[in-house]
Amino acid sequence: MRRFRFLRDPDPAAIGDSFEAFLRWLEGPACLFISGADDSRCRAFVTLLHGNEPSGARALWRWLREGERPAVNLVCIVASVTAALTEPLFTHRMLPRARDLNRCFRPPFDDAQGRLAEEILELLRLHRPEAVVDMHNTSGSGPSFAVCTFPDRQHDALAALFTGRLIISHLDLGALMEISDHRCPTVTIEVGGRLDDAAHRCAYEGLCRYAAVEDVFAAGIRERGLERLADPVRLELRDGVSLTYAPRPCAGHDITLRPDIEHHNFGSVGPDVVLGWTGGVASRLFRAVDAAGSCAVDRLVRIEDGELRPAQPLKLFMITTNAGIAQSDCLFYAVADDGQPIAA
Ligand SMILES: [Zn+2]
C-alpha cells in the first residue's frame, strides 16, 4: 500500500497544468502543508476520500496555482489519488474489493483502507487543526450541503462558509466527521454532483474563504441563515433485493425507481408523488432505522397498487440514481417536511 507523501509549500509552477497532471504529480495519497500568515494555528482540508468525487481536489489544485498564502497553516490531505487515476478517470469510488474509505475511521484498521484512514487520523492528531473540512461530491446531481454530527455554533459557522444547508446526523458509520468535538469541529461538505460546474465553483469559492478568513467560526454565519435538517433516516435495501431505474415498471427487478427521482433532492415530496414501482411488501424490501433504533420503513414509504410513494410529507436528499450505491449504501436520506426528525 502507498503511504502518504508529504509536500511542504509546493511551487505553484510545479504542481501541473491540469487537474489530472496535479494528481499524477501527487502519485498517491498526499499531505500538503501550506504555511500561513499566522503559523501558530492550523486548519485541515481533507478531500478525495472517494476517487470519483474530484471537486475538492480540483479546487485545491486551482487554489494552489494562485499561490495565495492562507491566513493560518493549512494541512491538505488528498487521499484516494490512485483510485481517482484508475481508468476511466474519476469513476472509482475506491479500488475494486477495497472498503469505502469514509467508513474506515474507526477500528479495526487492519486492511489497506483501514491503515490509510488511521494514517489520516494520525496526521490530524499531529497537526491539531482548529477545524477540519472533508469535501465530497454527491453521487447524483443536486445542491450543496454540509453534514456534521455535533450541532453547535462553530459547526454552523464552518458549514456556512461553504453552503446554506446543514444536516445534523448521529449515524454511526465510521465517517471522518464522526471524530468531531468542540476542540476540533469537523464538517463534511457535499458540494454537489461530480460533473456539475456549480459543484466545482462551490468547492473552489468555499476553499478560498476557508483559507483566507481570519476566524472561521465568525465568518459565514452572519451572512445567511442556515437551513437545518435533523437526524435523517436512511432508506436501505434489504439483502438480495434487486433495483433498477426506469420510467416504467421493469419486469425482472424487485423495485423500479424513476430515473428522475434525484430531482426531489431537498424538495418536499408528499404521498401524491410516485417514486417508483414494486410488486413487493415495503417491510421485506427496505430497512430503515430511526434515531431511537425503531424501524421507520412504514413512516417513509408505502406501496399502493404497485406504486411506491412517500408515506407522509418528507424532505429527501442524497438520492442516488446509481443502483450499485443504492444497494451498497442507501437509496436516500429523509427527514420530515419541516426539517425535523421523522416522528415515531
Ligand atoms: Zn464521498
Side-chain angles (χ1 to χ4, degrees), residues 94-138:
M94 52 264 181
L95 291 173
R97 292 176 298 283
R99 285 197 294 153
D100 183 330
L101 184 56
N102 207 23
R103 298 287 180 268
C104 295
F105 289 95
R106 63 177 170 202
F109 299 115
D110 53 5
D111 60 355
Q113 293 289 82
R115 282 187 290 273
L116 199 61
E118 188 180 29
E119 200 167 355
I120 292 170
L121 293 174
E122 277 166 16
L123 285 168
L124 294 176
R125 267 194 292 270
L126 187 74
H127 289 283
R128 299 167 175 270
E130 60 185 16
V132 179
V133 166
D134 174 23
M135 189 174 279
H136 292 251
N137 288 105
T138 45

mmCIF file of all heavy atoms in Angstrom, residues 94-138:
data_model
loop_
_atom_site.group_PDB
_atom_site.id
_atom_site.type_symbol
_atom_site.label_atom_id
_atom_site.label_comp_id
_atom_site.label_asym_id
_atom_site.label_seq_id
_atom_site.Cartn_x
_atom_site.Cartn_y
_atom_site.Cartn_z
ATOM 1 N N MET A 94 -13.612 3.669 -4.880
ATOM 2 C CA MET A 94 -12.404 3.064 -4.308
ATOM 3 C C MET A 94 -11.961 1.987 -5.287
ATOM 4 O O MET A 94 -12.676 1.690 -6.244
ATOM 5 C CB MET A 94 -12.674 2.465 -2.921
ATOM 6 C CG MET A 94 -13.847 1.530 -2.859
ATOM 7 S SD MET A 94 -15.305 2.434 -2.285
ATOM 8 C CE MET A 94 -16.527 1.117 -2.256
ATOM 9 N N LEU A 95 -10.817 1.391 -5.059
ATOM 10 C CA LEU A 95 -10.347 0.341 -5.949
ATOM 11 C C LEU A 95 -11.221 -0.913 -5.752
ATOM 12 O O LEU A 95 -11.829 -1.084 -4.699
ATOM 13 C CB LEU A 95 -8.872 0.027 -5.655
ATOM 14 C CG LEU A 95 -7.908 1.158 -6.038
ATOM 15 C CD1 LEU A 95 -6.495 0.843 -5.566
ATOM 16 C CD2 LEU A 95 -7.927 1.418 -7.548
ATOM 17 N N PRO A 96 -11.283 -1.780 -6.760
ATOM 18 C CA PRO A 96 -12.102 -2.987 -6.626
ATOM 19 C C PRO A 96 -11.759 -3.771 -5.350
ATOM 20 O O PRO A 96 -10.580 -3.900 -5.006
ATOM 21 C CB PRO A 96 -11.742 -3.794 -7.880
ATOM 22 C CG PRO A 96 -11.260 -2.785 -8.866
ATOM 23 C CD PRO A 96 -10.622 -1.684 -8.071
ATOM 24 N N ARG A 97 -12.768 -4.234 -4.679
ATOM 25 C CA ARG A 97 -12.661 -5.053 -3.459
ATOM 26 C C ARG A 97 -12.196 -4.277 -2.224
ATOM 27 O O ARG A 97 -12.117 -4.834 -1.141
ATOM 28 C CB ARG A 97 -11.774 -6.298 -3.658
ATOM 29 C CG ARG A 97 -12.405 -7.329 -4.603
ATOM 30 C CD ARG A 97 -11.490 -8.499 -4.859
ATOM 31 N NE ARG A 97 -10.257 -8.102 -5.500
ATOM 32 C CZ ARG A 97 -10.159 -7.808 -6.804
ATOM 33 N NH1 ARG A 97 -11.215 -7.865 -7.584
ATOM 34 N NH2 ARG A 97 -9.010 -7.442 -7.327
ATOM 35 N N ALA A 98 -11.873 -2.983 -2.375
ATOM 36 C CA ALA A 98 -11.468 -2.199 -1.195
ATOM 37 C C ALA A 98 -12.717 -1.735 -0.452
ATOM 38 O O ALA A 98 -13.784 -1.602 -1.034
ATOM 39 C CB ALA A 98 -10.649 -0.998 -1.641
ATOM 40 N N ARG A 99 -12.558 -1.460 0.851
ATOM 41 C CA ARG A 99 -13.665 -0.905 1.627
ATOM 42 C C ARG A 99 -13.820 0.578 1.310
ATOM 43 O O ARG A 99 -12.871 1.241 0.898
ATOM 44 C CB ARG A 99 -13.382 -1.057 3.133
ATOM 45 C CG ARG A 99 -13.568 -2.466 3.653
ATOM 46 C CD ARG A 99 -13.678 -2.459 5.168
ATOM 47 N NE ARG A 99 -12.438 -2.034 5.823
ATOM 48 C CZ ARG A 99 -12.392 -1.458 7.031
ATOM 49 N NH1 ARG A 99 -13.505 -1.227 7.704
ATOM 50 N NH2 ARG A 99 -11.231 -1.116 7.566
ATOM 51 N N ASP A 100 -15.021 1.099 1.557
ATOM 52 C CA ASP A 100 -15.282 2.532 1.416
ATOM 53 C C ASP A 100 -14.452 3.266 2.480
ATOM 54 O O ASP A 100 -14.657 3.075 3.676
ATOM 55 C CB ASP A 100 -16.784 2.767 1.638
ATOM 56 C CG ASP A 100 -17.186 4.224 1.455
ATOM 57 O OD1 ASP A 100 -16.350 5.128 1.723
ATOM 58 O OD2 ASP A 100 -18.346 4.459 1.074
ATOM 59 N N LEU A 101 -13.510 4.121 2.014
ATOM 60 C CA LEU A 101 -12.591 4.772 2.962
ATOM 61 C C LEU A 101 -13.333 5.604 4.010
ATOM 62 O O LEU A 101 -12.912 5.681 5.162
ATOM 63 C CB LEU A 101 -11.592 5.645 2.180
ATOM 64 C CG LEU A 101 -10.499 6.335 2.974
ATOM 65 C CD1 LEU A 101 -9.677 5.343 3.802
ATOM 66 C CD2 LEU A 101 -9.590 7.136 2.044
ATOM 67 N N ASN A 102 -14.461 6.198 3.631
ATOM 68 C CA ASN A 102 -15.177 7.024 4.602
ATOM 69 C C ASN A 102 -16.105 6.206 5.501
ATOM 70 O O ASN A 102 -17.033 6.733 6.104
ATOM 71 C CB ASN A 102 -15.950 8.149 3.911
ATOM 72 C CG ASN A 102 -16.136 9.349 4.829
ATOM 73 O OD1 ASN A 102 -15.371 9.534 5.790
ATOM 74 N ND2 ASN A 102 -17.158 10.148 4.580
ATOM 75 N N ARG A 103 -15.832 4.909 5.587
ATOM 76 C CA ARG A 103 -16.466 4.048 6.588
ATOM 77 C C ARG A 103 -15.382 3.392 7.451
ATOM 78 O O ARG A 103 -15.661 2.455 8.195
ATOM 79 C CB ARG A 103 -17.296 2.953 5.911
ATOM 80 C CG ARG A 103 -18.458 3.465 5.060
ATOM 81 C CD ARG A 103 -19.599 3.981 5.929
ATOM 82 N NE ARG A 103 -20.704 4.475 5.115
ATOM 83 C CZ ARG A 103 -20.834 5.749 4.719
ATOM 84 N NH1 ARG A 103 -19.947 6.651 5.079
ATOM 85 N NH2 ARG A 103 -21.865 6.127 3.997
ATOM 86 N N CYS A 104 -14.141 3.869 7.309
ATOM 87 C CA CYS A 104 -12.993 3.191 7.929
ATOM 88 C C CYS A 104 -12.355 3.970 9.080
ATOM 89 O O CYS A 104 -11.301 3.573 9.573
ATOM 90 C CB CYS A 104 -11.927 2.917 6.870
ATOM 91 S SG CYS A 104 -12.446 1.762 5.593
ATOM 92 N N PHE A 105 -12.972 5.079 9.517
ATOM 93 C CA PHE A 105 -12.333 5.912 10.538
ATOM 94 C C PHE A 105 -12.649 5.440 11.952
ATOM 95 O O PHE A 105 -12.927 6.217 12.848
ATOM 96 C CB PHE A 105 -12.716 7.380 10.335
ATOM 97 C CG PHE A 105 -12.064 7.958 9.103
ATOM 98 C CD1 PHE A 105 -12.730 7.984 7.893
ATOM 99 C CD2 PHE A 105 -10.758 8.421 9.158
ATOM 100 C CE1 PHE A 105 -12.118 8.476 6.753
ATOM 101 C CE2 PHE A 105 -10.138 8.916 8.022
ATOM 102 C CZ PHE A 105 -10.819 8.948 6.815
ATOM 103 N N ARG A 106 -12.631 4.152 12.147
ATOM 104 C CA ARG A 106 -12.728 3.549 13.483
ATOM 105 C C ARG A 106 -12.139 2.151 13.370
ATOM 106 O O ARG A 106 -12.129 1.567 12.282
ATOM 107 C CB ARG A 106 -14.183 3.503 13.945
ATOM 108 C CG ARG A 106 -15.057 2.634 13.074
ATOM 109 C CD ARG A 106 -16.467 2.561 13.617
ATOM 110 N NE ARG A 106 -17.323 1.918 12.631
ATOM 111 C CZ ARG A 106 -18.638 2.070 12.599
ATOM 112 N NH1 ARG A 106 -19.241 2.838 13.477
ATOM 113 N NH2 ARG A 106 -19.349 1.443 11.688
ATOM 114 N N PRO A 107 -11.636 1.632 14.479
ATOM 115 C CA PRO A 107 -11.019 0.309 14.423
ATOM 116 C C PRO A 107 -12.033 -0.747 13.977
ATOM 117 O O PRO A 107 -13.231 -0.534 14.172
ATOM 118 C CB PRO A 107 -10.578 0.058 15.865
ATOM 119 C CG PRO A 107 -10.649 1.384 16.547
ATOM 120 C CD PRO A 107 -11.657 2.202 15.815
ATOM 121 N N PRO A 108 -11.595 -1.877 13.450
ATOM 122 C CA PRO A 108 -10.189 -2.229 13.237
ATOM 123 C C PRO A 108 -9.615 -1.565 11.977
ATOM 124 O O PRO A 108 -10.315 -1.389 11.004
ATOM 125 C CB PRO A 108 -10.264 -3.754 13.034
ATOM 126 C CG PRO A 108 -11.619 -3.992 12.443
ATOM 127 C CD PRO A 108 -12.527 -2.940 13.035
ATOM 128 N N PHE A 109 -8.327 -1.207 12.063
ATOM 129 C CA PHE A 109 -7.646 -0.576 10.933
ATOM 130 C C PHE A 109 -6.776 -1.618 10.213
ATOM 131 O O PHE A 109 -5.634 -1.351 9.877
ATOM 132 C CB PHE A 109 -6.753 0.562 11.433
ATOM 133 C CG PHE A 109 -7.510 1.662 12.141
ATOM 134 C CD1 PHE A 109 -7.303 1.918 13.497
ATOM 135 C CD2 PHE A 109 -8.401 2.478 11.455
ATOM 136 C CE1 PHE A 109 -7.986 2.945 14.139
ATOM 137 C CE2 PHE A 109 -9.090 3.503 12.088
ATOM 138 C CZ PHE A 109 -8.878 3.734 13.436
ATOM 139 N N ASP A 110 -7.305 -2.837 10.044
ATOM 140 C CA ASP A 110 -6.394 -3.928 9.695
ATOM 141 C C ASP A 110 -6.310 -4.263 8.209
ATOM 142 O O ASP A 110 -5.707 -5.253 7.832
ATOM 143 C CB ASP A 110 -6.731 -5.183 10.513
ATOM 144 C CG ASP A 110 -8.196 -5.554 10.373
ATOM 145 O OD1 ASP A 110 -8.906 -4.895 9.584
ATOM 146 O OD2 ASP A 110 -8.632 -6.490 11.055
ATOM 147 N N ASP A 111 -6.918 -3.456 7.341
ATOM 148 C CA ASP A 111 -6.682 -3.667 5.914
ATOM 149 C C ASP A 111 -6.103 -2.375 5.326
ATOM 150 O O ASP A 111 -5.866 -1.408 6.055
ATOM 151 C CB ASP A 111 -7.966 -4.094 5.187
ATOM 152 C CG ASP A 111 -9.067 -3.047 5.299
ATOM 153 O OD1 ASP A 111 -8.866 -2.030 6.012
ATOM 154 O OD2 ASP A 111 -10.133 -3.236 4.693
ATOM 155 N N ALA A 112 -5.851 -2.375 3.999
ATOM 156 C CA ALA A 112 -5.183 -1.224 3.387
ATOM 157 C C ALA A 112 -5.978 0.072 3.610
ATOM 158 O O ALA A 112 -5.415 1.109 3.974
ATOM 159 C CB ALA A 112 -4.990 -1.475 1.893
ATOM 160 N N GLN A 113 -7.295 0.017 3.410
ATOM 161 C CA GLN A 113 -8.111 1.222 3.591
ATOM 162 C C GLN A 113 -8.118 1.652 5.064
ATOM 163 O O GLN A 113 -8.073 2.839 5.373
ATOM 164 C CB GLN A 113 -9.547 0.971 3.124
ATOM 165 C CG GLN A 113 -9.703 0.746 1.630
ATOM 166 C CD GLN A 113 -9.497 2.005 0.801
ATOM 167 O OE1 GLN A 113 -8.363 2.367 0.511
ATOM 168 N NE2 GLN A 113 -10.570 2.650 0.407
ATOM 169 N N GLY A 114 -8.177 0.689 5.962
ATOM 170 C CA GLY A 114 -8.162 0.991 7.390
ATOM 171 C C GLY A 114 -6.866 1.683 7.789
ATOM 172 O O GLY A 114 -6.872 2.658 8.548
ATOM 173 N N ARG A 115 -5.739 1.199 7.225
ATOM 174 C CA ARG A 115 -4.448 1.819 7.568
ATOM 175 C C ARG A 115 -4.353 3.234 6.999
ATOM 176 O O ARG A 115 -3.813 4.130 7.638
ATOM 177 C CB ARG A 115 -3.290 0.948 7.071
ATOM 178 C CG ARG A 115 -3.051 -0.259 7.990
ATOM 179 C CD ARG A 115 -1.798 -1.024 7.600
ATOM 180 N NE ARG A 115 -1.971 -1.728 6.345
ATOM 181 C CZ ARG A 115 -2.487 -2.957 6.234
ATOM 182 N NH1 ARG A 115 -2.882 -3.613 7.298
ATOM 183 N NH2 ARG A 115 -2.610 -3.529 5.044
ATOM 184 N N LEU A 116 -4.929 3.440 5.810
ATOM 185 C CA LEU A 116 -4.955 4.784 5.224
ATOM 186 C C LEU A 116 -5.773 5.725 6.116
ATOM 187 O O LEU A 116 -5.354 6.854 6.415
ATOM 188 C CB LEU A 116 -5.572 4.702 3.821
ATOM 189 C CG LEU A 116 -5.322 5.830 2.844
ATOM 190 C CD1 LEU A 116 -3.842 5.998 2.547
ATOM 191 C CD2 LEU A 116 -6.080 5.569 1.528
ATOM 192 N N ALA A 117 -6.933 5.252 6.570
ATOM 193 C CA ALA A 117 -7.791 6.053 7.456
ATOM 194 C C ALA A 117 -7.066 6.353 8.767
ATOM 195 O O ALA A 117 -7.090 7.484 9.265
ATOM 196 C CB ALA A 117 -9.101 5.313 7.728
ATOM 197 N N GLU A 118 -6.391 5.345 9.312
ATOM 198 C CA GLU A 118 -5.662 5.525 10.571
ATOM 199 C C GLU A 118 -4.565 6.580 10.394
ATOM 200 O O GLU A 118 -4.328 7.413 11.271
ATOM 201 C CB GLU A 118 -5.066 4.186 11.008
ATOM 202 C CG GLU A 118 -4.469 4.224 12.393
ATOM 203 C CD GLU A 118 -3.891 2.870 12.797
ATOM 204 O OE1 GLU A 118 -3.449 2.103 11.913
ATOM 205 O OE2 GLU A 118 -3.878 2.583 14.009
ATOM 206 N N GLU A 119 -3.907 6.537 9.227
ATOM 207 C CA GLU A 119 -2.845 7.498 8.971
ATOM 208 C C GLU A 119 -3.398 8.928 8.860
ATOM 209 O O GLU A 119 -2.781 9.884 9.329
ATOM 210 C CB GLU A 119 -2.092 7.107 7.694
ATOM 211 C CG GLU A 119 -0.726 7.743 7.638
ATOM 212 C CD GLU A 119 0.174 7.133 6.566
ATOM 213 O OE1 GLU A 119 -0.232 6.138 5.917
ATOM 214 O OE2 GLU A 119 1.272 7.659 6.392
ATOM 215 N N ILE A 120 -4.584 9.059 8.262
ATOM 216 C CA ILE A 120 -5.226 10.380 8.184
ATOM 217 C C ILE A 120 -5.529 10.878 9.602
ATOM 218 O O ILE A 120 -5.269 12.032 9.938
ATOM 219 C CB ILE A 120 -6.508 10.309 7.320
ATOM 220 C CG1 ILE A 120 -6.132 10.053 5.854
ATOM 221 C CG2 ILE A 120 -7.324 11.598 7.452
ATOM 222 C CD1 ILE A 120 -7.307 9.723 4.945
ATOM 223 N N LEU A 121 -6.039 9.998 10.443
ATOM 224 C CA LEU A 121 -6.336 10.385 11.830
ATOM 225 C C LEU A 121 -5.059 10.799 12.555
ATOM 226 O O LEU A 121 -5.047 11.769 13.322
ATOM 227 C CB LEU A 121 -7.020 9.233 12.573
ATOM 228 C CG LEU A 121 -8.434 8.884 12.081
ATOM 229 C CD1 LEU A 121 -8.952 7.637 12.797
ATOM 230 C CD2 LEU A 121 -9.388 10.050 12.296
ATOM 231 N N GLU A 122 -3.957 10.083 12.295
ATOM 232 C CA GLU A 122 -2.676 10.433 12.926
ATOM 233 C C GLU A 122 -2.189 11.802 12.456
ATOM 234 O O GLU A 122 -1.695 12.606 13.244
ATOM 235 C CB GLU A 122 -1.624 9.363 12.612
ATOM 236 C CG GLU A 122 -1.727 8.176 13.564
ATOM 237 C CD GLU A 122 -0.934 6.954 13.081
ATOM 238 O OE1 GLU A 122 -0.066 7.118 12.189
ATOM 239 O OE2 GLU A 122 -1.215 5.864 13.581
ATOM 240 N N LEU A 123 -2.330 12.062 11.155
ATOM 241 C CA LEU A 123 -1.932 13.365 10.610
ATOM 242 C C LEU A 123 -2.725 14.481 11.279
ATOM 243 O O LEU A 123 -2.176 15.534 11.624
ATOM 244 C CB LEU A 123 -2.177 13.405 9.098
ATOM 245 C CG LEU A 123 -1.182 12.641 8.243
ATOM 246 C CD1 LEU A 123 -1.686 12.503 6.806
ATOM 247 C CD2 LEU A 123 0.162 13.372 8.247
ATOM 248 N N LEU A 124 -4.014 14.253 11.472
ATOM 249 C CA LEU A 124 -4.850 15.280 12.088
ATOM 250 C C LEU A 124 -4.469 15.474 13.555
ATOM 251 O O LEU A 124 -4.398 16.591 14.045
ATOM 252 C CB LEU A 124 -6.334 14.922 11.934
ATOM 253 C CG LEU A 124 -6.847 14.925 10.484
ATOM 254 C CD1 LEU A 124 -8.296 14.454 10.421
ATOM 255 C CD2 LEU A 124 -6.708 16.309 9.848
ATOM 256 N N ARG A 125 -4.187 14.373 14.239
ATOM 257 C CA ARG A 125 -3.777 14.478 15.651
ATOM 258 C C ARG A 125 -2.469 15.260 15.774
ATOM 259 O O ARG A 125 -2.306 16.097 16.650
ATOM 260 C CB ARG A 125 -3.618 13.093 16.273
ATOM 261 C CG ARG A 125 -4.874 12.602 16.979
ATOM 262 C CD ARG A 125 -4.573 11.399 17.858
ATOM 263 N NE ARG A 125 -4.211 10.225 17.080
ATOM 264 C CZ ARG A 125 -5.105 9.330 16.640
ATOM 265 N NH1 ARG A 125 -6.384 9.456 16.917
ATOM 266 N NH2 ARG A 125 -4.713 8.293 15.936
ATOM 267 N N LEU A 126 -1.571 14.981 14.851
ATOM 268 C CA LEU A 126 -0.256 15.618 14.866
ATOM 269 C C LEU A 126 -0.361 17.139 14.671
ATOM 270 O O LEU A 126 0.324 17.905 15.325
ATOM 271 C CB LEU A 126 0.572 15.001 13.734
ATOM 272 C CG LEU A 126 2.034 15.357 13.620
ATOM 273 C CD1 LEU A 126 2.804 14.630 14.725
ATOM 274 C CD2 LEU A 126 2.583 14.918 12.254
ATOM 275 N N HIS A 127 -1.227 17.562 13.763
ATOM 276 C CA HIS A 127 -1.295 18.982 13.414
ATOM 277 C C HIS A 127 -2.285 19.764 14.265
ATOM 278 O O HIS A 127 -2.314 20.983 14.198
ATOM 279 C CB HIS A 127 -1.633 19.137 11.933
ATOM 280 C CG HIS A 127 -0.508 18.746 11.023
ATOM 281 N ND1 HIS A 127 0.581 19.552 10.815
ATOM 282 C CD2 HIS A 127 -0.287 17.618 10.295
ATOM 283 C CE1 HIS A 127 1.421 18.941 9.981
ATOM 284 N NE2 HIS A 127 0.927 17.764 9.668
ATOM 285 N N ARG A 128 -3.128 19.084 15.040
ATOM 286 C CA ARG A 128 -4.111 19.728 15.910
ATOM 287 C C ARG A 128 -4.844 20.884 15.241
ATOM 288 O O ARG A 128 -4.787 22.032 15.699
ATOM 289 C CB ARG A 128 -3.429 20.296 17.170
ATOM 290 C CG ARG A 128 -2.755 19.278 18.030
ATOM 291 C CD ARG A 128 -1.873 20.005 19.035
ATOM 292 N NE ARG A 128 -1.272 19.090 19.972
ATOM 293 C CZ ARG A 128 -1.832 18.741 21.132
ATOM 294 N NH1 ARG A 128 -2.988 19.238 21.487
ATOM 295 N NH2 ARG A 128 -1.218 17.896 21.933
ATOM 296 N N PRO A 129 -5.532 20.620 14.130
ATOM 297 C CA PRO A 129 -6.223 21.714 13.446
ATOM 298 C C PRO A 129 -7.364 22.287 14.292
ATOM 299 O O PRO A 129 -7.961 21.564 15.094
ATOM 300 C CB PRO A 129 -6.772 21.049 12.182
ATOM 301 C CG PRO A 129 -6.860 19.607 12.514
ATOM 302 C CD PRO A 129 -5.764 19.323 13.491
ATOM 303 N N GLU A 130 -7.624 23.585 14.088
ATOM 304 C CA GLU A 130 -8.752 24.213 14.796
ATOM 305 C C GLU A 130 -10.083 23.839 14.126
ATOM 306 O O GLU A 130 -11.138 24.003 14.729
ATOM 307 C CB GLU A 130 -8.586 25.734 14.829
ATOM 308 C CG GLU A 130 -8.535 26.376 13.456
ATOM 309 C CD GLU A 130 -8.254 27.877 13.502
ATOM 310 O OE1 GLU A 130 -7.811 28.368 14.549
ATOM 311 O OE2 GLU A 130 -8.477 28.543 12.474
ATOM 312 N N ALA A 131 -10.001 23.357 12.881
ATOM 313 C CA ALA A 131 -11.200 22.915 12.165
ATOM 314 C C ALA A 131 -10.780 21.908 11.094
ATOM 315 O O ALA A 131 -9.650 21.954 10.608
ATOM 316 C CB ALA A 131 -11.908 24.093 11.513
ATOM 317 N N VAL A 132 -11.685 21.001 10.756
ATOM 318 C CA VAL A 132 -11.448 20.049 9.663
ATOM 319 C C VAL A 132 -12.635 20.117 8.709
ATOM 320 O O VAL A 132 -13.790 20.036 9.139
ATOM 321 C CB VAL A 132 -11.313 18.594 10.184
ATOM 322 C CG1 VAL A 132 -11.091 17.625 9.019
ATOM 323 C CG2 VAL A 132 -10.188 18.478 11.198
ATOM 324 N N VAL A 133 -12.329 20.278 7.425
ATOM 325 C CA VAL A 133 -13.357 20.214 6.385
ATOM 326 C C VAL A 133 -13.038 19.024 5.492
ATOM 327 O O VAL A 133 -11.906 18.882 5.022
ATOM 328 C CB VAL A 133 -13.384 21.520 5.554
ATOM 329 C CG1 VAL A 133 -14.194 21.335 4.269
ATOM 330 C CG2 VAL A 133 -13.960 22.650 6.393
ATOM 331 N N ASP A 134 -14.008 18.155 5.305
ATOM 332 C CA ASP A 134 -13.852 16.983 4.441
ATOM 333 C C ASP A 134 -14.804 17.166 3.262
ATOM 334 O O ASP A 134 -16.016 17.168 3.446
ATOM 335 C CB ASP A 134 -14.210 15.729 5.247
ATOM 336 C CG ASP A 134 -14.210 14.481 4.383
ATOM 337 O OD1 ASP A 134 -13.544 14.489 3.330
ATOM 338 O OD2 ASP A 134 -14.888 13.506 4.764
ATOM 339 N N MET A 135 -14.236 17.378 2.061
ATOM 340 C CA MET A 135 -15.074 17.757 0.917
ATOM 341 C C MET A 135 -15.350 16.586 -0.024
ATOM 342 O O MET A 135 -14.438 15.868 -0.429
ATOM 343 C CB MET A 135 -14.408 18.902 0.156
ATOM 344 C CG MET A 135 -15.309 19.495 -0.910
ATOM 345 S SD MET A 135 -14.567 20.941 -1.669
ATOM 346 C CE MET A 135 -14.933 22.223 -0.477
ATOM 347 N N HIS A 136 -16.620 16.428 -0.359
ATOM 348 C CA HIS A 136 -17.093 15.341 -1.231
ATOM 349 C C HIS A 136 -17.984 15.886 -2.339
ATOM 350 O O HIS A 136 -18.508 16.986 -2.244
ATOM 351 C CB HIS A 136 -17.949 14.350 -0.424
ATOM 352 C CG HIS A 136 -17.191 13.564 0.590
ATOM 353 N ND1 HIS A 136 -16.936 12.226 0.454
ATOM 354 C CD2 HIS A 136 -16.638 13.940 1.763
ATOM 355 C CE1 HIS A 136 -16.257 11.800 1.503
ATOM 356 N NE2 HIS A 136 -16.055 12.828 2.322
ATOM 357 N N ASN A 137 -18.197 15.042 -3.367
ATOM 358 C CA ASN A 137 -19.306 15.245 -4.298
ATOM 359 C C ASN A 137 -20.424 14.278 -3.930
ATOM 360 O O ASN A 137 -20.160 13.174 -3.454
ATOM 361 C CB ASN A 137 -18.894 14.949 -5.742
ATOM 362 C CG ASN A 137 -17.983 16.005 -6.322
ATOM 363 O OD1 ASN A 137 -16.787 15.797 -6.459
ATOM 364 N ND2 ASN A 137 -18.545 17.135 -6.675
ATOM 365 N N THR A 138 -21.661 14.685 -4.210
ATOM 366 C CA THR A 138 -22.774 13.753 -4.053
ATOM 367 C C THR A 138 -22.761 12.767 -5.221
ATOM 368 O O THR A 138 -22.191 13.057 -6.274
ATOM 369 C CB THR A 138 -24.109 14.520 -4.046
ATOM 370 O OG1 THR A 138 -24.103 15.471 -5.102
ATOM 371 C CG2 THR A 138 -24.302 15.240 -2.735
#
